[in-house]
Amino acid sequence: MKNTALTEKHIALGAKIVPFAGYNMPVTYEGINAEHATVRNGVGVFDVSHMGEFILKGENALDLIQRVTSNDASKLYDGKVQYSCLPNKDGGIVDDLLVYRIDEKSYLLVVNASNIEKDWNWIKQFNDKDVEMHNISDKTSLLAIQGPKAADALQTLTDVDLASMEYYTFVKGTFAGVSNVIISATGYTGAGGFEIYFDNEHADKIWDAIFEAGKAYNIKPIGLGARDTLRLEMGFCLYGNDIDDGTSPIEAGLGWITKFTKTFTNSEALLAQKEAGIQKKLVGFEMIDRGIPRHDYEIADSEGNIIGKVTSGTQAPSLQKAIGMGYVTKDFSKEGTEIFINIRNTPIKAKVVKFPFYK
């Protein structure tokens, strides 16, 4: 198992460390519900340095990105970020990712930790126009500082006006006395905040500075457990759960990042699927009767016919109710439809609801 540059910090803080995507990662510190509430109402810090980062450079960098991703990266401008996915040749998804335009010929791709090698090899096979590719994952640290108080807690550490940064934009600047740091107004919690990218050698300095600056705002370290409950309350997909090599972006409700104004991997088949109409769809649901849905539980209709399966589920801390996501046949995808989750061989009543769960 690999460690991040901050693993020793997490251990010293009493984190419960678990193996995740090849790394020793903190899953909780004081408990998922408390950490979840910290991010929803205040400010918390996630170490997400296990994520992958690739730099693509050169005259044909954009061309390569356009051919391998589903979204239209030609719409990006310097300092703009885009959510996208890498479609495979069979209708599924290699990975979902973020695309950062540094300048006209330089891009940063941020990919999921478990898919770093897979994504690198996938993109590389399409690189037939000498695009310079650099995998900087192992030398890059990434902290996500999330919550409504994030801008206030971090402002003394940088000259960048954090409060005025638009969602899905970034700047390169000085942060905590370290130059060449990417400050990005992104995040996967729905609570607002920033992601900070920097070289591993600065990890201790930046971590300590963030916690010193955030003291007045009761800033706390947050584990991956709360990251999962936070993203699920927003209806955000998690690769390996809600999307994978066998799920289409159209079925997953990612039509908004699937742009047919260009040609990309499998775009013809995905367009045909969109035009013909999908047979199954990723929906959100909340439990009506008592029970917590979990990954891979069967979803049934009122007569016990299996109509799909759960991809993610939890007891949502902000909502005080059990929620989940799953694929169901088209006929059961409408808001308000009654469905049943088979929990330990017992059908438990639920209903389809609109994303996000937490409004």
Side-chain angles (χ1 to χ4, degrees):
M1 303 301 291
K2 291 181 180 176
N3 290 330
T4 76
L6 292 160
T7 301
E8 293 304 320
K9 291 268 190 205
H10 305 312
I11 292 168
L13 287 163
K16 182 184 176 188
I17 304 289
V18 300
F20 181 81
Y23 283 80
N24 290 311
M25 296 299 292
V27 67
T28 59
Y29 295 85
E30 58 174 326
I32 289 174
N33 288 358
E35 290 167 39
H36 182 108
T38 292
V39 175
R40 276 277 176 259
N41 306 314
V43 56
V45 183
F46 301 86
D47 178 9
V48 281
S49 304
H50 61 317
M51 298 289 280
E53 293 88 12
F54 307 153
I55 298 284
L56 270 55
K57 276 176 145 172
E59 294 286 343
N60 296 306
L62 176 61
D63 173 75
L64 176 57
I65 290 165
Q66 287 289 69
R67 287 186 287 128
V68 297
T69 65
S70 62
N71 210 336
D72 186 358
S74 72
K75 299 281 195 261
L76 290 170
Y77 48 83
D78 294 0
K80 182 67 178 162
V81 190
Q82 184 181 73
Y83 180 56
S84 193
C85 78
L86 299 168
N88 64 23
K89 291 173 179 172
D90 308 310
I93 299 170
V94 177
D95 202 5
D96 61 335
L97 76 163
L98 294 177
V99 181
Y100 286 63
R101 175 167 149 155
I102 298 164
D103 59 46
E104 198 182 350
K105 296 176 186 175
S106 311
Y107 295 81
L108 167 69
L109 308 186
V110 183
V111 303
N112 282 301
S114 53
N115 292 335
I116 293 171
E117 191 180 351
K118 174 189 173 192
D119 292 357
W120 177 264
N121 293 335
W122 180 262
I123 295 166
K124 197 173 158 187
Q125 70 174 315
F126 295 97
N127 184 14
D128 50 13
K129 296 181 184 174
D130 297 324
V131 175
E132 223 181 289
M133 290 177 63
H134 303 275
N135 182 354
I136 60 166
S137 307
D138 284 344
K139 62 181 186 181
T140 305
S141 288
L142 171 57
L143 295 177
I145 299 93
Q146 295 284 296
K149 295 179 183 172
D152 291 339
L154 299 180
Q155 190 56 74
T156 57
L157 299 176
T158 182
D159 292 337
V160 175
D161 182 4
L162 298 174
S164 70
M165 281 184 72
E166 290 179 16
Y167 193 43
Y168 268 64
T169 63
F170 73 97
V171 290
K172 253 188 183 181
T174 299
F175 184 88
V178 177
S179 57
N180 207 31
V181 172
I182 288 178
I183 304 166
S184 172
T186 48
Y188 224 54
T189 64
F194 304 89
E195 294 188 301
I196 313 287
Y197 299 81
F198 48 89
D199 288 341
N200 289 343
E201 63 192 273
H202 304 301
D204 282 350
K205 180 182 179 179
I206 287 179
W207 176 272
D208 291 344
I210 287 170
F211 279 89
E212 188 57 39
K215 255 184 193 166
Y217 301 92
N218 202 24
I219 198 167
K220 289 181 180 176
I222 312 292
L224 294 182
R227 189 173 171 83
D228 193 47
T229 55
L230 288 155
R231 70 91 195 166
L232 184 46
E233 286 187 348
M234 298 309 296
F236 293 155
C237 291
L238 177 66
Y239 194 88
N241 278 43
D242 314 299
I243 51 175
D244 57 34
D245 285 297
T247 57
S248 139
I250 310 298
E251 294 168 345
L254 297 176
W256 63 281
I257 62 163
T258 311
K259 302 291 168 61
F260 298 109
T261 49
K262 60 166 199 165
T263 302
F264 56 86
T265 316
N266 206 41
S267 55
E268 280 183 22
L270 290 172
L271 179 59
Q273 182 184 55
K274 183 186 177 183
E275 288 172 344
I278 50 176
Q279 298 310 304
K280 63 174 183 174
K281 185 181 177 185
L282 185 66
V283 299
F285 60 86
E286 60 183 44
M287 302 304 295
I288 294 170
D289 294 337
R290 197 179 166 91
I292 298 176
R294 298 294 185 199
H295 180 68
D296 274 349
Y297 282 8
E298 291 176 335
I299 304 175
D301 65 13
S302 58
E303 291 169 0
N305 301 307
I306 303 305
I307 55 165
K309 72 171 184 174
V310 176
T311 55
S312 290
T314 195
Q315 176 74 17
S318 305
L319 305 170
Q320 300 296 301
K321 63 174 78 163
I323 60 169
M325 296 163 69
Y327 287 91
V328 296
T329 52
K330 183 175 65 175
D331 297 344
F332 291 88
S333 63
K334 200 170 167 220
E335 187 185 0
T337 301
E338 190 176 270
I339 57 174
F340 293 82
I341 313 302
N342 288 339
I343 302 178
R344 288 183 288 280
N345 298 321
T346 305
I348 308 293
K349 194 185 289 184
K351 69 172 179 184
V352 175
V353 296
K354 264 189 180 165
F355 296 124
F357 299 99
Y358 179 80
K359 295 174 175 66

